[in-house]
């Protein structure tokens, strides 16, 4: 089966799940744990190695006087291979640097609210990261993939300490609204927001996971509700 290749602009437009699939196709380990910039960098490096390996260096050598000519041709091919590898690797490094700068300055990928802080009534939310995973620990997704949001919340100062009960929903790119997965929360363990005791006026970090079909991932939005009222705010996941 041929391995699919793509330019960096095409890779940036792809959803994270497709990037993970392509990374696995190339044998890149730990792809499901990578963020989008890391996946792009890994794929570009893999393409650089593929490009270099496909250059012809196997011309046959002739006996006698022809053997010396064959050796010189082989040396020239090796030099071209090294130059091509260095050039492609340098281009990939520059591309990744540009992508990282865009993410840092813009607060996430294209159409992403990652890194931003918003208020829902008296509750402040910061979206730290959003990733997709085929499984959480030993728990595979029953619908296709998990969307895992890592958030930091600061509740109103007038509330008593409590454990929040899923103050979020996910509006998928398919137009369907998804509730947090109870099973995924259990699999997240101490990382789950549901295990945290929230103190008034104190930032608390935790993760919320949604079990969704692949069609829901692209252009999805995270809806977060005020812990002390009915107000809510939304974050674009950038997936």
């Amino acid at each position: 089966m041929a391995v699919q290749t793509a330019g960096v602009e095409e890779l940036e437009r792809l959803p994270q799940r497709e990037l993970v699939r392509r990374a696995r196709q190339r044998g890149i380990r730990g792809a499901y744990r990578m963020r989008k910039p890391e996946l792009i960098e890994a794929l570009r490096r893999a393409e650089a190695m593929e490009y270099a390996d496909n250059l012809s260096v196997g011309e046959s050598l002739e006996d006698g006087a022809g053997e010396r000519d064959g050796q010189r041709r082989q040396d020239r091919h090796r030099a071209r291979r090294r130059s091509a590898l260095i050039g492609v690797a340098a281009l990939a490094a520059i591309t990744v640097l540009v992508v990282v700068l865009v993410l840092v300055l813009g607060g996430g990928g294209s159409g992403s609210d990652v890194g931003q802080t918003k208020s829902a009534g008296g509750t402040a939310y910061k979206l730290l990261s959003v990733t997709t995973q085929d499984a959480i620990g030993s728990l595979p997704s029953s619908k296709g993939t998990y969307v895992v949001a890592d958030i930091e919340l600061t509740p109103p100062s007038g509330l008593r300490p409590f454990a929040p009960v899923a103050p979020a929903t996910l509006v998928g790119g398919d137009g369907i609204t998804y509730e947090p997965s109870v099973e995924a929360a259990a699999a997240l363990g101490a990382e789950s927001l549901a295990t945290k005791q929230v103190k008034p006026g104190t930032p608390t970090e935790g993760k919320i996971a949604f079990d969704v079909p692949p069609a829901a991932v692209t252009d999805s939005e995270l809806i977060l509700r005020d812990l002390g009222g009915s107000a809510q705010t939304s974050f674009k996941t950038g997936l």
Side-chain angles (χ1 to χ4, degrees):
M1 182 176 63
V3 178
Q4 193 171 3
T5 60
V8 65
E9 292 184 358
E10 180 183 348
L11 291 176
E12 290 174 357
R13 290 194 296 268
L14 292 175
Q16 183 156 339
R17 179 172 177 81
E18 175 61 16
L19 293 175
V20 170
R21 187 189 69 79
R22 294 191 180 192
R24 287 179 170 176
Q25 193 178 30
R26 284 189 165 83
I28 297 172
R29 295 183 177 180
Y32 74 92
R33 294 192 298 268
M34 296 182 183
R35 298 185 63 184
K36 195 168 185 177
E38 296 172 328
L39 283 169
I40 292 174
E41 179 182 10
L43 285 168
R44 294 296 291 166
R45 286 180 177 173
E47 286 184 20
M49 295 302 297
E50 251 177 28
Y51 179 83
D53 288 339
N54 287 333
L55 292 176
S56 174
V57 294
E59 289 190 4
S60 58
L61 302 177
E62 296 179 357
D63 293 333
E67 184 176 357
R68 292 190 295 273
D69 291 338
Q71 184 62 48
R72 284 194 293 269
R73 286 194 296 270
Q74 190 176 47
D75 290 341
R76 287 196 297 271
H77 279 297
R78 285 174 177 168
R80 290 171 187 168
R81 177 181 176 179
R82 287 194 296 269
S83 298
L85 179 58
I86 292 172
V88 175
L91 178 61
I94 293 172
T95 300
V96 171
L97 178 60
V98 171
V99 171
V100 171
L101 286 174
V102 170
L103 291 175
V104 171
L105 296 176
S110 177
S112 171
D113 287 332
V114 172
Q116 294 192 24
T117 300
K118 297 184 180 183
S119 295
T123 306
Y125 288 100
K126 182 175 182 179
L127 184 58
L128 301 177
S129 69
V130 184
T131 59
T132 56
Q133 300 177 203
D134 294 334
I136 297 177
S138 60
L139 180 69
S141 168
S142 63
K143 295 181 180 178
T145 189
Y146 288 112
V147 174
V148 182
D150 189 0
I151 65 172
E152 178 186 273
L153 66 85
T154 304
S157 57
L159 297 179
R160 294 180 296 176
F162 67 102
V165 180
T169 53
L170 185 78
V171 179
D174 55 2
I176 300 175
T177 298
Y178 298 89
E179 296 295 328
S181 168
V182 176
E183 294 79 7
L188 285 169
E191 293 184 296
S192 173
L193 184 64
T195 65
K196 312 291 183 179
Q197 186 179 56
V198 175
K199 297 180 181 180
T202 302
T204 300
E205 178 185 348
K207 294 181 178 181
I208 302 176
F210 303 87
D211 191 358
V212 301
V217 175
T218 304
D219 297 327
S220 55
E221 289 193 19
L222 184 66
I223 309 299
L224 296 168
R225 297 185 292 274
D226 184 14
L227 298 179
S230 60
Q232 63 183 33
T233 188
S234 66
F235 289 85
K236 296 179 180 178
T237 64
L239 298 175

